[in-house]
Amino acid sequence: MQQSQRPFANPFLRAMHELLQGRLNPQTRSRLNALIFALTALSWASCTAPDSATQNSGEFESTVTPLNGNSWRYLALGDSYTIGESVASEDRWPNQLQAQLETAMIDDAFEDVVVLATTGWTTSNLSQALSNSGYEEEAWDMVSLLIGVNNQYQGASIEQYELEYENLLQRAIAAADGREDRVFVVSIPDYGYTPFGASNQAQISAELETFNATCKAITDSYNVAHFNITDISQHWPEVEGLVAEDGLHPSGLQYEMWVESFYEDVLELLEP
């Protein structure tokens, strides 16, 4: 996936870019080279030995602490996409996400991510499992929710999904100590773009579009972050390796692409 092009912050950076691209006329290029030389000399004169803050500039320094005061706790709610059907546990997207968070927040401790998800679950199944789990009585620093594909696959009504999904979202917020800013939702991937669903792609995609629109509308109404990964799932078969060996579920590579698309946004949720 290509990153979007961002405008340059000031004319000097724009000129630098144009210099590298060879688009400046000779006179302007000569003046800019002189300026670059002067700035380089000045920077060398003021150089100091790097300190630990400089060396770790790529790391995220959280100014808040976990609810239990010791370690961050993450609860991932979902179905086969969250449990990572047909991929190794370390390739599940919640596990990949937490691995990236642990790398960025190197001074913080994390408990193992807790995944409450099973292949085939609908919103009704997840709701019952959450009630039986006891997890709602515990304190969670972050909760994610991805649910709905089996509602569509089993022919459940969009009205039923709307009611049950909203209830799950409310309970996810409550589990995150009542903080909607510590909850995020991932959209439903499009299995029409898999060997399993290819023969009925148009209908699958159209129905999932309705479920995803409902999901996003409810999520937005609660001011909860919603991350759209559906377009990533639709890159098959143009992009190889996006589907697991079962011909239906995402591969570890696709899950990695999901995480890369929203990892920085999740990291910001941990800010106060």
Side-chain angles (χ1 to χ4, degrees):
M1 298 180 65
Q2 294 183 344
Q3 294 181 343
S4 59
Q5 297 296 320
R6 298 181 179 179
F8 290 97
N10 57 55
F12 176 72
L13 291 181
R14 183 182 298 277
M16 283 286 291
H17 176 70
E18 292 181 352
L19 174 63
L20 293 174
Q21 298 296 320
R23 295 201 295 263
L24 296 182
N25 60 55
Q27 183 178 7
T28 303
R29 186 184 298 112
S30 176
R31 292 176 179 173
L32 185 56
N33 282 333
L35 177 58
I36 294 171
F37 178 81
L39 290 174
T40 302
L42 181 62
S43 66
W44 273 105
S46 60
C47 278
T48 58
D51 56 19
S52 58
T54 302
Q55 291 174 328
N56 296 329
S57 59
E59 297 170 2
F60 174 84
E61 294 184 6
S62 177
T63 58
V64 295
T65 57
L67 289 174
N68 63 17
N70 297 313
S71 54
W72 295 94
R73 306 188 73 220
Y74 167 33
L75 174 64
L77 305 174
D79 48 37
S80 60
Y81 295 128
T82 298
I83 198 64
E85 179 72 24
S86 297
V87 301
S89 59
E90 62 268 20
D91 288 332
R92 299 170 178 167
W93 71 261
N95 297 64
Q96 292 195 50
L97 173 62
Q98 177 150 315
Q100 289 219 36
L101 294 175
E102 290 177 353
T103 298
M105 301 169 63
I106 194 169
D107 293 328
D108 293 61
F110 283 80
E111 294 186 15
D112 290 341
V113 57
V114 174
V115 176
L116 182 63
T118 293
T119 299
W121 273 3
T122 62
T123 46
S124 178
N125 298 136
L126 177 58
S127 178
Q128 186 61 53
L130 183 59
S131 296
N132 295 337
S133 68
Y135 290 150
E136 292 178 281
E137 308 304 319
E138 301 181 29
W140 301 95
D141 297 289
M142 186 169 66
V143 181
S144 65
L145 179 61
L146 193 177
I147 192 72
V149 68
N150 294 296
N151 290 67
Q152 177 273 333
Y153 182 71
Q154 296 178 24
S157 69
I158 194 68
E159 292 78 15
Q160 178 185 358
Y161 175 74
E162 183 176 3
L163 290 172
E164 295 179 348
Y165 171 77
E166 184 170 13
N167 175 260
L168 284 168
L169 183 61
Q170 292 170 343
R171 293 162 69 184
I173 295 171
D177 199 37
R179 295 186 56 172
E180 67 274 3
D181 59 330
R182 290 293 180 83
V183 177
F184 67 91
V185 172
V186 178
S187 69
I188 306 168
D190 188 348
Y191 70 92
Y193 290 82
T194 67
F196 176 86
S199 62
N200 197 26
Q201 180 269 316
Q203 180 179 346
I204 292 170
S205 297
E207 292 178 358
L208 287 177
E209 183 176 1
T210 301
F211 276 83
N212 270 321
T214 299
C215 172
K216 186 177 188 307
I218 296 173
T219 303
D220 289 347
S221 72
Y222 282 85
N223 295 316
V224 169
H226 178 276
F227 303 133
N228 178 22
I229 53 78
T230 307
D231 57 342
I232 297 176
S233 68
Q234 293 171 337
H235 285 314
W236 181 90
E238 285 76 14
V239 178
E240 296 181 359
L242 293 187
V243 180
E245 292 183 358
D246 66 0
L248 172 59
H249 293 92
S251 64
L253 171 63
Q254 185 178 156
Y255 286 139
E256 180 181 357
M257 294 171 67
W258 291 13
V259 171
E260 287 299 325
S261 73
F262 57 69
Y263 154 70
E264 291 185 354
D265 295 309
V266 173
L267 195 58
E268 290 180 0
L269 296 181
L270 300 181
E271 293 182 335

